Amino acid sequence: KITNVAQGNFSGLAGHLGQGAVSLLKVDNKYYLRLENDFKVTNGPDLFIYFGKDGAYVAEARIDRLRGNIGGQNYEIPADINPDQFNEVWIWCRAFSVPFAKALIR
């Protein structure tokens, strides 16, 4: 059984392009982030996906390295991260500590 827990749309930050939908899904006892087919973000070095809350990315809530800057992708949420504690998804450049995109999810 797949449950759509939350969803949102990316917008770019710090002069970068960011667009497309993201969904937080629960499949049995695991959570997944789905970057939908319309996802697009400016390509950059060392891009990762994080959860965030109330306008700030949370360094401890790293989900995974971004696999591609265009198109649909699925990411399993690490078991030690509780998605209920967050209300945003961030695309973050670790090398330069710069945000590329953010989506408010609800």
Side-chain angles (χ1 to χ4, degrees):
K1 180 183 172 205
I2 299 173
T3 305
N4 191 339
V5 177
Q7 56 198 27
N9 288 290
F10 282 103
S11 54
L13 296 169
H16 298 103
L17 168 81
Q19 63 188 49
V22 58
S23 300
L24 176 62
L25 306 171
K26 187 172 184 183
V27 182
D28 298 322
N29 291 324
K30 293 185 179 181
Y31 286 94
Y32 295 86
L33 265 188
R34 165 83 185 151
L35 306 184
E36 301 297 346
N37 294 337
D38 62 349
F39 171 75
K40 192 181 294 184
V41 69
T42 302
N43 204 5
D46 209 26
L47 295 181
F48 278 76
I49 304 173
Y50 289 83
F51 278 122
K53 185 166 179 69
D54 302 334
Y57 100 104
V58 178
E60 299 78 33
R62 184 172 80 202
I63 296 164
D64 205 345
R65 176 181 292 278
L66 186 69
R67 296 186 195 118
N69 68 310
I70 297 172
Q73 302 163 52
N74 295 315
Y75 296 88
E76 185 175 337
I77 306 298
D80 62 342
I81 296 176
N82 178 357
D84 296 336
Q85 296 176 337
F86 307 101
N87 61 1
E88 296 162 344
V89 176
W90 288 70
I91 308 298
W92 185 266
C93 172
R94 288 196 323 174
F96 296 101
S97 295
V98 174
F100 271 47
K102 176 179 78 168
L104 180 64
I105 56 171
R106 41 182 149 192

